[in-house]
Amino acid sequence: MAKEIKKTEDSNRQFAFVFGKTNYIIMIAGVVLIALGYIFLSGGGSDDPEVFNPDMFDGRRLFLAPILIILGLIAEIVAIMFKSKNE
C-alpha cells in the first residue's frame, strides 16, 4: 500500500525575521562595543611576578574598557526593545 503524502499549510509559510533591520544594526554595534571593551581590558601583565607593571592601572583599563562594555550592554537592551515606527 502506498502512503499518501499530505501537504500542510506550513509548506506555504514564508520565513520572517524576529527583529527589523535597525534592531540588527544596533545589536551588531553593541557586540562591537563589548568586544572593543574586552580588547582594551586585556594585556598589561608581566612575565616575571616579581616585577610590578604600572600599565595594569592605566586609564584605558580602569575607565575606558568598563564604559565601553556597559555601553555595549545598553545597546543590546535597546536593540531588543526598539520597535520601528513602520510596524
Side-chain angles (χ1 to χ4, degrees), residues 5 13 15 17 19 23-24 26 28 31-35 39 49 52 59 62-63 65 77-79 87:
I5 299 174
R13 290 188 185 175
F15 182 75
F17 287 111
F19 297 115
N23 297 81
Y24 287 113
I26 297 171
I28 291 171
V31 169
V32 168
L33 282 174
I34 292 171
I39 289 169
F52 177 73
L62 289 179
F63 299 108
I77 292 170
V78 169
E87 295 177 9

Side-chain angles (χ1 to χ4, degrees), residues 40-46 51-62:
F40 283 162
L41 196 62
S42 67
S46 177
V51 177
F52 177 73
N53 190 354
D55 288 340
M56 186 171 67
F57 298 110
D58 190 17
R60 181 184 72 180
R61 287 187 183 87
L62 289 179

